[in-house]
Amino acid sequence: MTSLTRAIFRPRSIALIGASADPTKHSALPQKFLAQHGYPGELFPINPRRAEVQGLRAYPAVVDVPVQVDHAFIMLPTEFVLAAVQDCVKAGVGCITIMSNGFGEAGAEGEARQAELMQILAGSNSRLLGPNALGVVDLHANVALSANEVLALPDLPKGDIGLISQSGSMMGAILSRGAARGIGFSKLVSVGNEADISVAELVQMMVDDSETAVIQLFVETIRNHEELRRVAMNAHRASKPILAYRLGRSAVGQQLAVSHTGALAGSGRATEAFLKDIGVAEIRNFDAFLDAPALFRRSRPTGSRIGAMSTTGGGGALIVDNLGERDIVVTSPPAAVRERLAARGITIGDAPLVDLTLAGTNAVTYGAVLEEFLASEEVDAVVAVVGSSSQFRPERAVAPIVASTSTKPVAVFLTPNALRSQELLRAAGIPVFTQPEACADALRAWTEWRAPRVLAQVRRDDVIALLQQHRPSDRSGITLNATQSQAIFKGLGIEQAHEWLLGPQPDSWLPDDVASIRYPCVLKIASADVPHKTEVGGVRLGIGSASELRAAAGEMLVKVKTALPNARIEGFQVQETIVGLAEVLVGVSRDPAAGPMISVGMGGVLAELYQDVSLRPAPVTQDEAHAMISEVKAFKQLTGYRNLPKGDINALAKAISLVSTLMCVDGPNVAEAEINPLVVLRDGQGVRALDGLVILEGGQ
Amino acid sequence: MTSLTRAIFRPRSIALIGASADPTKHSALPQKFLAQHGYPGELFPINPRRAEVQGLRAYPAVVDVPVQVDHAFIMLPTEFVLAAVQDCVKAGVGCITIMSNGFGEAGAEGEARQAELMQILAGSNSRLLGPNALGVVDLHANVALSANEVLALPDLPKGDIGLISQSGSMMGAILSRGAARGIGFSKLVSVGNEADISVAELVQMMVDDSETAVIQLFVETIRNHEELRRVAMNAHRASKPILAYRLGRSAVGQQLAVSHTGALAGSGRATEAFLKDIGVAEIRNFDAFLDAPALFRRSRPTGSRIGAMSTTGGGGALIVDNLGERDIVVTSPPAAVRERLAARGITIGDAPLVDLTLAGTNAVTYGAVLEEFLASEEVDAVVAVVGSSSQFRPERAVAPIVASTSTKPVAVFLTPNALRSQELLRAAGIPVFTQPEACADALRAWTEWRAPRVLAQVRRDDVIALLQQHRPSDRSGITLNATQSQAIFKGLGIEQAHEWLLGPQPDSWLPDDVASIRYPCVLKIASADVPHKTEVGGVRLGIGSASELRAAAGEMLVKVKTALPNARIEGFQVQETIVGLAEVLVGVSRDPAAGPMISVGMGGVLAELYQDVSLRPAPVTQDEAHAMISEVKAFKQLTGYRNLPKGDINALAKAISLVSTLMCVDGPNVAEAEINPLVVLRDGQGVRALDGLVILEGGQ
């Protein structure tokens, strides 16, 4: 255990700065809870107006405490916090937790205060938890250093789940709910604004903690994605699953997270893709968050073939239906399973749910079906539903589940309020769920659980050289024009539609230039000052001849000049007409929370209306790009759906992978880039970029 | 109370046919449970092999019982059931419940057995519950006539919720879960296969029952949609909300329902639309099913402006996020509310969540905010979240909720395991939720709750006359060809694209006929033998002149004849080219469970891939059609989204309404009809049907 881990979770001495003697005050609670849960170290209330607080000698300031303070917990009104922190630094306190709010989460003034705070800490040996943090609990060491009122609960169960929460209140709620069902934690910590100690740093402490086997995150945002990716890999190597419950899945929730904790305004979908990419399993049902660790502790997923068995048709259907809504179709019992059961005198059908009915509600039948399911290599996990018998007769169908010795996951759903059966199953380490949505969600998360992906190291000197031609001279970024952007994509290796560039005056075009064009063609105005060409009449399709081209260009000039009199017209872009099967948008950008992301979806407004876009941290390999393509519903049209002609999915995957590498070059950094549209031709005929955009970040 | 209601729920005498003396058998349970819960009537075990069962005199057959038997409960093996029913009919038993399975739910053999059963009952005074039914419970009358093991629970709470369940096991599970939180029922009944007594008939009994205030349905299918619509209207008039939990929301769940209870293979989405249309609120979260009645008992929705307040940012965000995922954006506190609170010394922001934080966790502040929210006419309901304080200090933020006297709904979510606070709130009749998904789902269901719609009576003699020209001569249906179908839609009043019909030999076309066509045009083969014209080269677009038309027709003939040598070619359909903003599919059909339905979505495969189709029971008015249009995401493109040109939505709504009336004509009945595509032109320019299909049912 590092000295920091010790100072945070197992301090030998704690100073409670702002400890109140009034037991109705929140600032009286940590002292009370530490005593109640048997804190074994030394406790120092800091309160300049009192000689004694709750039976302990009080000190005017932390510098007056006669021993070295490992952990100081600050509960002062905002305006007194900085002075107290200065004291702590002076006293060489190892970890300072600031419960007070009014910092990074509180607008510009708060941000300034937080910056000042960090100035005070800079260069010191003191580390900071918070501000706006509700404290830490280490159940194995009897440390309950928090003002959360649920700590009034006696006999909190000890366990192996380490919880890191961006919400202090929810840390308490999860602890309380776990205690009610006998689910224990090792350590719990509320991180507040993460001004210093981050979620990632705490994950590493949990990885190193021998009492923690499963790591849980209750998060609203990601503050350091590179670091979190690194420690998630460490957790994976240590075989410690990380489960996350994430706020901000809806647009309004995302907006709240920003105002609530000063979170970065990233997109919820990017964070979701990021967590999945680093091997963190996202649990979407709140109740499942408590019961899922038992499922994830068992084994990693080998596939998503889930067998379903039940003593009750209705209860079984409840689970099968909830799984179906999450795109998990339970697997019918394999023929080999049915044959082996038949040999044991048990006949089951091939419906996706094995409904044993009342007649099969006994240990022999239920046990045999479960055993054969678990022994089958065609089944990756089993969901076992038990109906009314589970309330008063666990010996019937619950006992054989408890007795099972397979390490293959069995998720149990009990239809009635069967407390004794729940207890038996939990004691045996078997995941048991009381809500059908929780059961289905945990299974979904388990089947979707992946090992952290190692991001490829890509070096494209040729592309860097291209980008360096446009290196911004100052701190503001630069938007390349269409021709420059397309040159970058061409340099990456993505085929472009044929283009001919013509000057700004149609009258002076040479006959040979115009004759060499392949008709029918597309005419576009070329101007960095016209970002939305279509809207000002700057695009014309289906031009059939040279004379039509000249006429169209003349008309276009008039229209554009009328709409944007000050636009500098560089000339005209003429492009061959390409008819493909689909027009796709491939883009990269930097999400404020989750970092560089690659996205792909159908072009046009429907992708936005349906939110039908696949996202991944960039870069991605072609294999990963194929996985992305399969996530976009609209792309089913390109893969043989209803006998529609197949598109060149391989070429699309290659293009996605190439575009994603733009985020790895560090000549001038790419802020954002997209090809829109990228036309997908028939299988074997490739893709063609028709238009593109590259925006470079300003210099550092 | 009718004599049937009495026989079902409050029988003065019960015969338990097949009652076992072995207490480990399921067939021993009803007798045990009836005694345990204090059944006040007379009980007669029927068992020919015993003189006594569980301390009561047993009779060989129900005809031997010396008194009139009100309710007989049959627990025999399938093969003995019919004889027992014959006995019951002979003995004039009022209600016969058959728990045994092996009937309509068990394949062809079971269906034959069920038909035989109905023969025995025909003309008798006995009514049937089941088969495959688990019994009835009337808590106010101490009748626990069921083999469901959860009835071993003592002290079942009495309440005002009447539950009708198509799953016997889930009836028990819901009773058990309710009891655990003190939620009581009036009557519960398992309907099994509904061979005789239906869900609808039982709903009417609950409407008439003075002890029932809220009716709950746990359903997998609808067996009599017209009757259910009628009784749902009666429930509405009696101000008794009907809440449903529906299995079969996923495709696999729907499939299971069919195999599990012999349900009709209707579409889950049609059933969903039907329930909503008849004023039944569908609850999608299982836990919410128990706690939602408290919300629905309060008042009908006045809108969906939900105010959100919390003592905890994280807990509040949990609810706001879950609401957001269900398309409910919580409303920011109205300016008037903020002003009135400021006058009371309480400052709140205009963020969508009023986060009172620890500082506001007291009865005065929390109570004041709640009061002002409830008093505001700009707020339809309030969701009140209470964090850690609710576990041990209900006096802080829970007490002011309990004290509130408003009838405007307040849904409460408690973040920790706060049993005492739950109890206080439930006792006060306030809906309290322990799962964030349940809280959000109940609020969603409440805001979406509508009064039952009265289907318009439509009489279109003109359309009937048109349809009668094609009246099928036998029992098999008839598919009208494109020209016939389009004539029907034209007769309905839907504008068609201009068409010219030409004979099957292009060489013999008259020059005048060809010259009168408006070019560019579309050429289609006309043949009832070519259902999928595009696939065999039977459609050609963009034909620019008469000579091109002749040439194209010649080529088309060759292609079609090659693909379908036996197809009888009636001629050619030539159609004007119509370019609109969108191509839409409008269709009617008869869902096996939910009856006549009208649907609308975008044409093409995307509507199917995204399931982006709106459904309603037919017919619909134009207003209702507008509501349907607003449910289709893709139609946002036609209503000003991102400055796209607006489509003629009024004309589309009118067309939807007209097509829906096809389901009301009873000349020959329409089995199915669709316009595909219906082109939507710019606002004010109407719609044009380009192709259509009408299928008539066979004669009766």
Side-chain angles (χ1 to χ4, degrees):
Chain A
M1 190 175 290
T2 65
S3 61
L4 177 61
T5 308
R6 182 173 296 280
I8 296 174
F9 292 103
R10 301 190 166 182
R12 281 156 301 196
S13 51
I14 297 174
L16 297 169
I17 304 178
S20 172
D22 175 352
T24 68
K25 290 269 168 70
H26 279 108
S27 46
L29 295 178
Q31 186 173 346
K32 185 182 139 199
F33 295 149
L34 281 162
Q36 181 195 323
H37 291 283
Y39 173 60
E42 285 184 281
L43 214 49
F44 303 98
I46 309 296
N47 186 331
R49 283 165 311 188
R50 303 189 71 97
E52 189 220 281
V53 170
Q54 291 183 59
L56 290 181
R57 176 173 170 192
Y59 294 83
V62 77
V63 287
D64 302 318
V65 173
V67 306
Q68 170 67 38
V69 170
D70 283 349
H71 197 142
F73 192 80
I74 301 180
M75 302 172 275
L76 299 168
T78 312
E79 59 269 34
F80 303 116
V81 170
L82 294 187
V85 170
Q86 265 161 338
D87 270 5
C88 289
V89 167
K90 224 177 281 171
V93 170
C95 173
I96 305 165
T97 294
I98 301 178
M99 185 173 108
S100 320
N101 54 19
F103 291 85
E105 84 291 353
E109 197 188 330
E111 280 171 32
R113 192 175 291 121
Q114 187 161 312
E116 209 178 327
L117 173 66
M118 297 318 289
Q119 279 295 325
I120 297 171
L121 288 166
S124 80
N125 291 322
S126 299
R127 298 290 306 274
L128 171 71
L129 206 52
N132 196 19
L134 212 53
V136 300
V137 180
D138 186 324
L139 286 153
H140 294 279
N142 302 321
V143 177
L145 176 54
S146 171
N148 193 292
E149 295 204 72
V150 307
L151 288 171
L153 263 176
D155 305 323
L156 292 170
K158 299 174 185 4
D160 67 0
I161 303 172
L163 173 71
I164 303 165
S165 178
Q166 287 177 339
S167 159
S169 165
M170 291 311 295
M171 174 182 81
I174 292 165
L175 177 65
S176 157
R177 285 164 180 255
R181 53 184 85 166
I183 293 172
F185 291 84
S186 52
K187 295 173 164 58
L188 303 96
V189 51
S190 155
V191 299
N193 296 359
E194 294 176 77
D196 176 15
I197 299 172
S198 67
V199 167
E201 196 168 357
L202 287 160
V203 167
Q204 184 62 49
M205 292 182 205
M206 301 286 188
V207 170
D208 296 334
D209 179 26
S210 62
E211 281 154 356
T212 297
V214 178
I215 301 164
Q216 284 195 330
L217 310 179
F218 188 93
V219 287
E220 291 180 304
T221 189
I222 305 292
R223 286 204 174 84
N224 187 340
H225 62 87
E226 284 171 353
E227 185 66 5
L228 194 56
R229 178 180 287 276
R230 201 180 58 74
V231 298
M233 182 58 84
N234 293 343
H236 176 68
R237 290 201 190 98
S239 297
K240 298 193 180 183
I242 307 180
L243 310 186
Y245 186 95
R246 180 172 64 82
L247 288 177
R249 294 203 298 258
S250 69
V252 59
Q254 185 62 27
Q255 186 190 327
L256 261 188
V258 173
S259 67
H260 172 227
T261 54
L264 295 164
S267 106
R269 295 208 51 207
T271 304
E272 179 187 348
F274 171 78
L275 289 174
K276 187 173 178 183
D277 201 55
I278 65 166
V280 173
E282 186 178 326
I283 306 288
R284 298 193 191 125
N285 178 283
F286 185 58
D287 199 55
F289 196 48
L290 278 170
D291 289 316
L295 185 64
F296 282 75
R297 233 183 246 119
R298 288 213 139 188
S299 63
R300 298 196 68 87
T302 49
S304 55
R305 297 162 305 176
I306 296 181
M309 57 186 293
S310 180
T311 66
T312 141
L318 199 58
I319 292 298
V320 170
D321 213 13
N322 267 288
L323 285 169
E325 286 192 295
R326 288 160 181 82
D327 294 326
I328 297 180
V329 177
V330 294
T331 192
S332 289
V337 166
R338 281 156 51 209
E339 282 159 25
R340 291 168 64 98
L341 283 170
R344 297 171 72 169
I346 298 166
T347 311
I348 61 169
D350 60 356
L353 171 69
V354 179
D355 180 6
L356 295 173
T357 74
L358 275 184
T361 308
N362 59 72
V364 174
T365 309
Y366 204 90
V369 175
L370 180 64
E371 193 177 298
E372 296 298 347
F373 254 138
L374 290 173
S376 168
E377 284 185 3
E378 297 167 71
V379 172
D380 300 300
V382 177
V383 59
V385 179
V386 187
S388 313
S389 71
S390 63
Q391 185 149 18
F392 296 109
R393 297 181 176 263
E395 69 278 12
R396 294 205 165 164
V398 170
I401 308 173
V402 170
S404 157
T405 54
S406 168
T407 58
K408 193 178 280 183
V410 184
V412 181
F413 172 65
L414 306 176
T415 67
N417 180 51
L419 301 177
R420 174 83 189 117
S421 289
Q422 288 175 35
E423 212 174 281
L424 287 168
L425 289 160
R426 288 207 178 93
I430 293 163
V432 53
F433 298 89
T434 59
Q435 306 296 335
E437 298 85 3
C439 181
D441 186 56
L443 280 166
R444 173 206 56 74
W446 182 79
T447 60
E448 292 176 1
W449 188 31
R450 298 282 173 272
R453 186 164 65 95
V454 179
L455 292 185
Q457 296 296 321
V458 186
R459 188 156 174 91
R460 291 287 304 260
D461 290 332
D462 51 343
V463 177
I464 293 175
L466 277 170
L467 288 169
Q468 279 180 337
Q469 298 171 11
H470 309 288
R471 184 187 282 281
S473 53
D474 58 13
R475 307 206 72 195
S476 58
I478 185 170
T479 300
L480 307 191
N481 70 23
T483 309
Q484 293 164 336
S485 298
Q486 282 166 259
I488 304 286
F489 291 118
K490 193 175 180 185
L492 271 175
I494 297 164
E495 209 169 329
Q496 309 290 304
H498 274 287
E499 281 199 354
W500 300 265
L501 294 177
L502 297 169
Q505 270 133 19
D507 297 342
S508 57
W509 292 347
L510 298 177
D512 276 3
D513 286 351
V514 178
S516 70
I517 286 165
R518 218 176 287 160
Y519 295 94
C521 69
V522 180
L523 177 71
K524 300 184 205 178
I525 200 85
S527 165
D529 299 333
V530 185
H532 303 291
K533 300 186 185 80
T534 311
E535 290 176 15
V536 293
V539 177
R540 178 99 163 252
L541 310 175
I543 294 171
S545 65
S547 59
E548 228 182 290
L549 183 68
R550 282 186 196 271
E555 285 167 30
M556 189 175 285
L557 263 188
V558 174
K559 278 189 192 162
V560 173
K561 288 267 176 201
T562 310
L564 299 166
N566 299 322
R568 285 156 303 179
I569 308 301
E570 295 151 24
F572 290 87
Q573 240 184 315
V574 181
Q575 204 171 51
E576 64 176 328
T577 296
I578 293 188
V579 180
L581 298 178
E583 301 206 336
V584 168
L585 188 159
V586 180
V588 279
S589 62
R590 293 180 193 271
D591 185 82
M597 302 297 294
I598 168 92
S599 67
V600 62
M602 203 60 103
V605 295
L606 286 179
E608 189 181 312
L609 281 172
Y610 293 121
Q611 294 273 299
D612 190 24
V613 169
S614 175
L615 280 168
R616 287 282 191 292
V620 292
T621 61
Q622 281 190 50
D623 279 353
E624 199 64 34
H626 273 289
M628 292 177 72
I629 291 167
S630 71
E631 286 172 6
V632 177
K633 282 187 185 164
F635 289 166
K636 289 221 174 100
Q637 292 175 103
L638 302 175
T639 54
Y641 183 77
R642 294 207 172 272
N643 283 322
L644 291 169
K646 288 190 189 175
D648 198 332
I649 293 300
N650 288 327
L652 174 59
K654 190 175 171 197
I656 294 168
S657 173
L658 288 170
V659 173
S660 78
T661 63
L662 274 181
M663 281 304 177
C664 304
V665 300
D666 54 357
N669 283 348
V670 174
E672 202 182 317
E674 68 173 37
I675 305 180
N676 183 16
L678 179 71
V679 175
V680 179
L681 304 177
R682 283 182 181 246
D683 198 12
Q685 297 175 15
V687 293
R688 298 288 184 286
L690 302 196
D691 205 350
L693 176 77
V694 174
I695 302 176
L696 299 178
E697 286 182 353
Q700 303 308 309
Chain B
M1 192 177 289
T2 66
S3 61
L4 177 61
T5 308
R6 181 172 296 280
I8 296 173
F9 293 103
R10 302 193 166 181
R12 281 156 300 194
S13 53
I14 297 174
L16 298 168
I17 303 178
S20 173
D22 175 352
T24 68
K25 290 269 169 69
H26 278 108
S27 47
L29 295 177
Q31 188 173 347
K32 186 182 138 199
F33 295 149
L34 282 162
Q36 181 195 322
H37 292 282
Y39 173 59
E42 285 184 282
L43 214 49
F44 303 98
I46 309 295
N47 186 330
R49 285 165 312 188
R50 303 191 71 97
E52 190 221 282
V53 170
Q54 291 183 61
L56 289 182
R57 176 173 168 189
Y59 294 83
V62 77
V63 286
D64 302 318
V65 173
V67 305
Q68 170 67 38
V69 170
D70 282 349
H71 197 143
F73 192 79
I74 301 180
M75 302 173 275
L76 298 168
T78 312
E79 60 269 33
F80 301 117
V81 171
L82 295 187
V85 170
Q86 264 162 339
D87 271 5
C88 290
V89 167
K90 226 177 281 173
V93 170
C95 173
I96 305 166
T97 294
I98 302 178
M99 185 173 109
S100 320
N101 55 18
F103 292 84
E105 85 290 354
E109 199 189 330
E111 280 171 33
R113 192 175 292 121
Q114 187 161 313
E116 209 178 326
L117 174 65
M118 298 317 288
Q119 279 295 324
I120 297 170
L121 289 166
S124 79
N125 292 322
S126 299
R127 297 292 304 276
L128 171 70
L129 206 52
N132 197 19
L134 213 52
V136 299
V137 180
D138 187 322
L139 286 152
H140 293 280
N142 302 321
V143 176
L145 176 54
S146 171
N148 193 292
E149 296 203 72
V150 307
L151 287 171
L153 264 175
D155 305 322
L156 292 169
K158 299 176 187 3
D160 67 0
I161 303 172
L163 172 71
I164 303 165
S165 179
Q166 286 177 339
S167 160
S169 165
M170 292 311 295
M171 175 183 80
I174 292 164
L175 177 65
S176 158
R177 286 165 180 254
R181 54 185 85 165
I183 293 173
F185 291 84
S186 52
K187 295 172 164 59
L188 303 95
V189 51
S190 154
V191 299
N193 297 359
E194 293 176 77
D196 176 16
I197 299 171
S198 67
V199 167
E201 196 168 356
L202 288 159
V203 167
Q204 185 61 49
M205 292 181 206
M206 302 284 189
V207 169
D208 296 335
D209 179 26
S210 62
E211 281 153 357
T212 298
V214 178
I215 301 165
Q216 283 195 331
L217 310 179
F218 187 94
V219 288
E220 293 180 303
T221 188
I222 306 291
R223 285 203 175 86
N224 187 341
H225 62 86
E226 285 173 351
E227 185 65 5
L228 194 56
R229 179 180 287 276
R230 201 179 58 77
V231 297
M233 183 58 84
N234 293 343
H236 175 70
R237 289 202 191 98
S239 298
K240 298 192 180 184
I242 308 180
L243 310 186
Y245 186 95
R246 181 172 64 83
L247 288 177
R249 293 201 297 258
S250 69
V252 61
Q254 184 63 26
Q255 187 189 326
L256 261 188
V258 173
S259 68
H260 173 227
T261 53
L264 295 164
S267 106
R269 295 207 52 209
T271 305
E272 178 186 349
F274 172 78
L275 289 175
K276 186 172 178 183
D277 201 55
I278 65 167
V280 172
E282 187 178 325
I283 306 288
R284 297 193 192 126
N285 178 283
F286 185 57
D287 199 55
F289 196 47
L290 280 169
D291 289 315
L295 185 63
F296 282 76
R297 235 183 245 118
R298 287 213 141 188
S299 64
R300 298 196 68 88
T302 48
S304 55
R305 298 162 304 176
I306 296 182
M309 58 185 294
S310 180
T311 65
T312 141
L318 199 57
I319 292 297
V320 170
D321 213 12
N322 266 288
L323 285 169
E325 286 193 294
R326 288 161 181 82
D327 295 326
I328 297 179
V329 177
V330 294
T331 192
S332 288
V337 166
R338 282 155 53 208
E339 282 159 26
R340 291 168 65 99
L341 283 169
R344 297 170 72 167
I346 298 166
T347 310
I348 61 169
D350 61 355
L353 170 69
V354 179
D355 181 4
L356 295 172
T357 74
L358 276 184
T361 308
N362 60 70
V364 173
T365 310
Y366 204 90
V369 175
L370 180 65
E371 193 177 298
E372 295 299 347
F373 254 140
L374 289 173
S376 168
E377 283 183 4
E378 297 168 69
V379 172
D380 300 300
V382 177
V383 58
V385 179
V386 187
S388 314
S389 71
S390 62
Q391 185 149 20
F392 297 110
R393 297 182 177 263
E395 70 277 13
R396 294 205 165 164
V398 170
I401 308 174
V402 170
S404 157
T405 55
S406 168
T407 58
K408 193 179 280 184
V410 183
V412 181
F413 173 65
L414 307 176
T415 67
N417 180 52
L419 300 178
R420 175 81 188 117
S421 289
Q422 287 175 34
E423 213 175 281
L424 288 169
L425 289 160
R426 288 207 178 93
I430 293 163
V432 53
F433 298 89
T434 59
Q435 307 297 334
E437 299 85 3
C439 182
D441 186 56
L443 281 166
R444 173 206 56 75
W446 182 80
T447 60
E448 292 177 359
W449 188 30
R450 297 283 173 270
R453 185 164 65 96
V454 178
L455 293 184
Q457 297 296 319
V458 186
R459 189 158 173 88
R460 289 289 303 259
D461 290 330
D462 50 344
V463 177
I464 293 174
L466 276 171
L467 289 169
Q468 279 179 337
Q469 296 171 11
H470 309 288
R471 182 187 284 280
S473 53
D474 58 13
R475 307 206 71 193
S476 57
I478 185 170
T479 301
L480 306 191
N481 69 24
T483 309
Q484 294 165 334
S485 298
Q486 283 166 261
I488 305 286
F489 291 117
K490 192 173 179 188
L492 272 175
I494 296 164
E495 209 171 329
Q496 310 289 304
H498 274 286
E499 280 198 356
W500 300 264
L501 293 177
L502 297 169
Q505 270 132 20
D507 297 342
S508 58
W509 292 348
L510 299 176
D512 275 3
D513 286 351
V514 178
S516 69
I517 286 165
R518 219 176 286 158
Y519 296 94
C521 69
V522 179
L523 177 70
K524 299 183 204 178
I525 200 83
S527 166
D529 299 333
V530 186
H532 304 291
K533 300 186 184 80
T534 310
E535 289 177 15
V536 294
V539 177
R540 179 100 163 252
L541 311 175
I543 295 171
S545 66
S547 59
E548 227 183 290
L549 183 68
R550 282 185 195 272
E555 285 166 29
M556 187 175 287
L557 261 187
V558 174
K559 278 189 192 162
V560 173
K561 287 266 176 201
T562 309
L564 299 166
N566 299 322
R568 284 157 302 178
I569 308 300
E570 294 152 25
F572 290 87
Q573 241 184 315
V574 180
Q575 205 171 53
E576 65 176 327
T577 296
I578 293 188
V579 180
L581 298 177
E583 300 205 338
V584 168
L585 189 158
V586 180
V588 279
S589 62
R590 291 177 195 272
D591 185 82
M597 303 296 294
I598 168 92
S599 67
V600 62
M602 203 61 103
V605 297
L606 286 179
E608 189 180 312
L609 282 171
Y610 293 120
Q611 294 274 301
D612 190 25
V613 169
S614 175
L615 280 169
R616 286 283 191 292
V620 293
T621 60
Q622 282 190 50
D623 278 354
E624 199 65 33
H626 273 289
M628 292 178 72
I629 292 167
S630 70
E631 285 172 6
V632 177
K633 283 187 185 164
F635 290 165
K636 288 220 175 101
Q637 291 175 104
L638 302 175
T639 53
Y641 183 76
R642 294 204 171 274
N643 283 324
L644 292 168
K646 288 190 187 173
D648 198 332
I649 293 300
N650 288 327
L652 174 58
K654 190 174 171 198
I656 293 168
S657 173
L658 288 170
V659 173
S660 79
T661 63
L662 273 181
M663 282 303 177
C664 304
V665 300
D666 56 358
N669 283 348
V670 173
E672 203 182 315
E674 67 172 40
I675 304 179
N676 183 16
L678 178 71
V679 175
V680 180
L681 304 177
R682 283 181 181 244
D683 198 12
Q685 296 175 14
V687 293
R688 298 287 185 283
L690 301 196
D691 205 351
L693 176 77
V694 175
I695 302 177
L696 299 178
E697 286 182 353
Q700 304 308 307

